[in-house]
Structures are given as structure tokens and as C-alpha cells.
């Protein structure tokens, strides 16, 4: 369906641009004739044709004598045509971008959306795949025209990194954006929660956006601690998605070592880094619970997975994604809860009597590429082979001495200082 719609759009804009070209050609030819033959195509020594043209022909003759007026009309025609042309150029640009997405085979959403259009037979064993990539919403610029304009400039392929920051985290923010710049990433944006951070970003050439004043949000934003500010992001992110952008939400206690957009799958509503520290905890396992009193049925199987880290996730602009943000924001506004716990509960609890779960597609990021600080300090730094791998990002989520560990990560991975990580304890001790 989407494919067909795309083709239809393309056909229409092609037809429109052909019409525009035809009109323009006509006007230009008219111009030339008006200058070269001011008395019209048919001169007075062709009386027969002249008579045949009749009254309307004569009107055309007399108007061609009013040259300055004609020229003005033509000028305004040309002006409106060049407006039209600019508009068409924009459409062509949009369509080219969409086409590029489709050709790359990356926009699974459009492909799967195609699949939703008609009913299909299941097909042979092993070839059947369920829908996991939801179609994106239609962008609504009216939601926030000012932000829309910023995103148009900053985002690449409708994607960007977004971080929230107030003055409490300035030192970490500096390490954060320095690492981002060093990798050569340009599609990132800081949502400044106070004037000082806005100024700090501007003076460092960091793309920054300060929201319009909003009572409820502002009091938390300015004075809020870690968790309170974390809750804000679900409300703020909504607009980004409504505007049609995919967001890689990032806390600021993160060091970038490669461009994450080269490692995102883009096939799920939410793609998140894990708090897990090995294959089982990061990717899920069957945890067998033993209750000997039950005898024959003493073993109860349970499904377990370490939580997704709500400080680093990629979220696509789909309905389930926006529903997730709303559900989390709503619960956080009513109770004093930890946003990461709520984020995971909403993502993972299935529907059951009295409860409609969120039906969002999710993907866990590679734990060595999107590395949390437990993996780094407990495992990787002590393992000769793992030590050689270069992560995409390191998130110092497990340790309170964030700034010094962030700097050590930069020393180790960027400046090649082999013992930079050595003096830190595994945990916080
Ligand atoms: C974890 O999983 C990966 C991929 O399946 C595998 O290559 C690796 O050996 C596993 N590691 C451990 C410690 O089991």
C-alpha cells in the first residue's frame, strides 16, 4: 500500500512538474512573440485569417499593444511559477529521501506496512514472519513549529540523538558532547532545562533547544535531581515523535566512541541498551524456580531479563512508541516512581484480565557495543580479547563517580592509555 501510494505520489508530482514546465514554456514563448511581433501572429495583410479569428482575436491584438501591462502580468506569473517550482523541488527532495530509504531496504516499516494491506496465506514452513515494524505516524508540524524547524536542520535521515541537561550535569555534558563531536556526529541536540546550559551549549557550538515556558515541567527541570529529570524526558520526547523523528535518547553520563546510527536496526518501536551483564541477563533466560514441596512439579519456569536502560534507547515515531511515552509519563505524574522501572513494566507486562498491555516491538542492543559500566568494569577490562573490542558507546550507569569514570573511558578507548581503567573498583564500594 505504502509502495503504491509512493508511486502514485511520484506520478502526481511528475505530472504536476510537467504541467508547470508546459505553462512556463508557454509563457516564455508568449513573451518572445510579444516582443518580436507586437501586432500578433497574424498581420493585417492576411484579411481572411483575420476575419476568421473574429472578435476574440481582435481583443488579443489590441492587448498585445499594452506591452508594459503584459510584462507586469508575465512577471507576476513567473514569480508564482517559481514559488510553485520551489514547492515542487521540496517535494522531490522528500520523495528522493523516502525512495532512498526504501531502496536501502532499511525502512522495514514501509515493507511490513505493505504486508498489512492485503490478506495473505501463511506460506511454507519456516518462511513466515510476524509484523514487528510498525508504520510511522504522519508528521504534525503544528505541534511545535519552532522545534520542527530546528529538527529539520539538525536531524539526518529523520534521526537524531537527544539529551536533556540542566546545570547540575554540566561537567558530564561537556565530556558527552566532546566525545560526540570527536566521532563526527552532527545530528544531536541538547534540550536545555535552564538558561545557563542553553548558553553553555551555544558558546560551545552545540545544537541546543530550550522549550517554551511550561509551569509543570519547568520547576522539575531547573531543580530536579537525577530521577525527576529522567521522568521529564517522556513528556518532552513526545513532540519529537509527533514531528516524525526517530530519537536516540541519551543520558549525559555516556561516552561516544563510534556513530551509533551505524549500529541501529530500526526494525522495532524501541531498541534499547540493557542493564544486563552477560548473555543471559541481557538477552533473557528461563529461570527455573524450585519448590520441592510440589514434588513432581517442583520446578517452575520463569522468564527473566535484566531491565532495559531508560537512559539510552532508540525510539521510532510509531503509535506504540507514543503510547509508551504517554503511559510512562502518566504513571510518573501520579505516583513517585522510578522512571526506569515504569518504562520496563509498560514495555514487558502482557495484557491480562483488567489490563491492556502495550503491544510494542522491542529489541535489545548488543551489550558489548552499547556497553554499560558493569560490563566494562566487571568483565571487559579484565579480558584480553574483550578489551580489544571498541564499543559504540559506554554508559556509566552503574557507578556514582560518573565523571572520573567517563574521563577514564576516554583515556582508555580514545587516547589508548592501557591502564586508565585499572585503578577503579568493580563496584562503588
Ligand atoms: C554469548 O552469545 C554469543 C552470541 O550468541 C556467543 O558468541 C558467545 O559465545 C556467548 N558468550 C558466552 C559467554 O556464552
Amino acid at each position: 500500500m505504502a509502495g503504491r501510494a509512493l508511486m502514485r505520489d511520484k506520478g502526481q508530482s511528475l505530472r504536476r512538474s510537467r504541467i508547470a514546465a508546459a505553462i512556463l514554456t508557454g509563457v516564455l514563448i508568449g513573451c518572445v512573440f510579444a516582443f518580436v511581433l507586437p501586432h500578433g501572429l497574424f498581420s493585417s495583410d492576411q484579411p481572411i485569417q483575420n476575419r476568421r479569428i473574429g472578435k476574440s482575436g481582435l481583443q488579443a491584438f489590441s492587448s498585445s499593444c499594452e506591452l508594459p501591462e503584459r510584462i507586469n502580468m508575465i512577471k507576476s506569473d513567473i514569480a508564482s511559477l517559481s514559488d510553485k517550482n520551489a514547492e515542487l523541488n521540496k517535494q522531490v527532495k522528500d520523495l528522493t529521501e523516502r525512495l532512498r530509504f526504501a531502496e536501502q531496504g532499511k525502512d522495514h516499516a514501509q515493507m511490513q506496512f505493505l504486508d498489512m494491506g492485503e490478506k495473505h496465506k501463511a506460506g511454507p514452513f519456516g518462511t513466515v514472519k510476524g509484523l514487528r515494524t510498525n508504520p510511522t505516524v504522519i508528521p504534525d508540524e503544528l505541534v511545535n513549529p519552532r522545534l520542527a524547524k530546528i529538527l529539520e536542520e539538525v536531524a539526518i535521515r529523520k534521526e537524531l540523538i537527544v539529551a536533556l541537561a540542566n546545570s547540575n550535569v554540566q561537567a558530564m555534558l561537556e565530556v558527552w558532547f566532546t566525545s560526540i563531536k570527536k566521532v563526527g556526529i552532527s545530528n544531536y541536540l541538547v534540550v536545555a532545562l535552564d538558561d545557563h546550559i542553553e548558553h553553555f551549549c551555544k558558546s560551545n557550538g552545540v545544537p541546543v533547544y530550550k522549550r517554551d515556558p511550561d509551569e509543570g515541567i519547568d520547576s522539575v527541570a531547573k531543580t530536579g535531581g537525577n530521577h525527576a529529570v529522567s521522568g521529564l524526558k517522556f513528556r518532552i520526547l513526545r513532540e519529537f515523535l509527533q514531528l516524525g523523528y526517530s530519537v536516540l535518547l541519551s543520558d549525559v553520563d555516556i561516552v561516544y566512541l563510534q556513530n551509533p546510527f551505524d549500529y541501529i536496526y530500526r526494525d522495532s518501536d524501541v531498541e534499547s541498551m540493557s542493564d544486563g551483564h552477560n548473555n543471559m541477563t541481557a538477552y533473557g533466560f528461563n529461570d527455573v524456580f524450585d519448590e520441592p514441596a510440589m514434588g513432581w512439579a517442583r520446578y517452575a519456569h520463569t522468564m527473566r531479563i535484566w531491565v532495559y536502560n531508560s537512559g539510552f534507547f532508540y525510539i521510532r515515531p510509531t503509535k506504540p512508541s507514543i503510547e509508551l511515552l504517554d503511559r510512562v509519563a502518566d504513571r510518573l505524574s501520579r505516583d513517585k516512581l522510578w522512571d526506569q522501572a515504569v518504562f520496563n513494566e509498560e514495555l514487558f507486562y502482557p495484557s491480562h484480565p483488567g489490563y491492556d498491555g502495550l503491544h510494542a516491538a522491542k529489541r535489545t542492543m548488543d551489550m558489548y557495543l552499547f556497553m554499560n559500566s558493569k560490563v566494562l568494569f566487571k568483565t571487559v577490562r579484565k579480558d584480553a580479547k574483550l578489551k580489544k573490542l571498541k564499543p559504540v558507546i559506554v554508559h556509566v550507569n552503574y557507578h556514582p563517580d560518573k565523571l572520573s569514570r567517563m574521563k577514564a573511558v576516554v583515556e582508555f578507548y580514545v587516547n589508548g592509555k592501557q591502564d586508565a581503567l585499572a585503578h577503579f573498583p568493580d563496584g562503588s564500594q
Side-chain angles (χ1 to χ4, degrees), residues 113-134:
F113 190 51
L114 257 175
D115 206 46
M116 283 165 67
E118 292 160 38
K119 289 196 171 185
H120 294 275
K121 291 179 179 173
F125 175 81
T127 65
V128 179
K129 278 207 171 113
L131 192 70
R132 66 178 63 77
T133 308
N134 288 301

Side-chain angles (χ1 to χ4, degrees), residues 34-35 63-75:
F35 278 103
S63 68
S64 70
C65 298
E66 300 153 9
L67 211 47
E69 202 179 302
R70 268 307 278 273
I71 289 175
N72 279 342
M73 271 170 60
I74 289 166
K75 271 186 187 158

Side-chain angles (χ1 to χ4, degrees), residues 278-280 283 367-368:
N278 56 25
N279 278 357
M280 285 167 70
Y283 307 140
M367 65 170 165
Y368 292 128

Side-chain angles (χ1 to χ4, degrees), residues 71-108:
I71 289 175
N72 279 342
M73 271 170 60
I74 289 166
K75 271 186 187 158
S76 85
D77 278 356
I78 290 175
S80 78
L81 279 170
S82 41
D83 281 354
K84 182 95 193 160
N85 201 36
E87 162 82 0
L88 287 169
N89 274 339
K90 190 167 174 277
Q91 281 183 21
V92 168
K93 209 177 125 215
D94 280 359
L95 286 168
T96 315
E97 193 165 84
R98 279 165 68 181
L99 206 62
R100 195 157 49 92
F101 257 122
E103 275 163 5
Q104 275 181 338
K106 282 251 166 126
D107 204 343
H108 308 274

Side-chain angles (χ1 to χ4, degrees), residues 134-138 238 241 269 316-326 358-360:
N134 288 301
T136 54
V137 296
I138 294 173
R238 191 185 209 276
L241 301 201
D269 297 305
R316 294 179 60 247
T318 64
K319 280 193 169 179
S321 297
I322 294 172
E323 187 185 352
L324 170 68
L325 297 180
D326 288 356
L358 177 78
H359 291 243

Side-chain angles (χ1 to χ4, degrees), residues 336-351:
K336 235 182 148 55
L337 299 164
W338 183 28
D339 69 291
Q340 179 159 289
V342 175
F343 178 71
N344 278 275
E345 287 166 8
E346 293 299 332
L347 268 177
F348 286 97
Y349 285 156
S351 298

Side-chain angles (χ1 to χ4, degrees), residues 138-153 158 189 191-192 208-214 217 235-245:
I138 294 173
D140 181 3
E141 292 202 1
L142 296 178
V143 163
N144 187 337
R146 185 166 69 89
L147 179 60
K149 209 154 161 246
I150 294 173
L151 295 183
E152 209 166 284
E153 280 165 26
K158 293 245 155 199
L189 183 70
V191 178
V208 64
Y209 159 68
K210 183 144 186 304
R211 293 167 45 84
D212 293 329
D214 178 327
I217 291 185
R235 294 177 62 177
I236 292 174
L237 272 186
R238 191 185 209 276
E239 286 185 346
F240 287 76
L241 301 201
Q242 276 183 289
L243 293 171
Y245 290 86

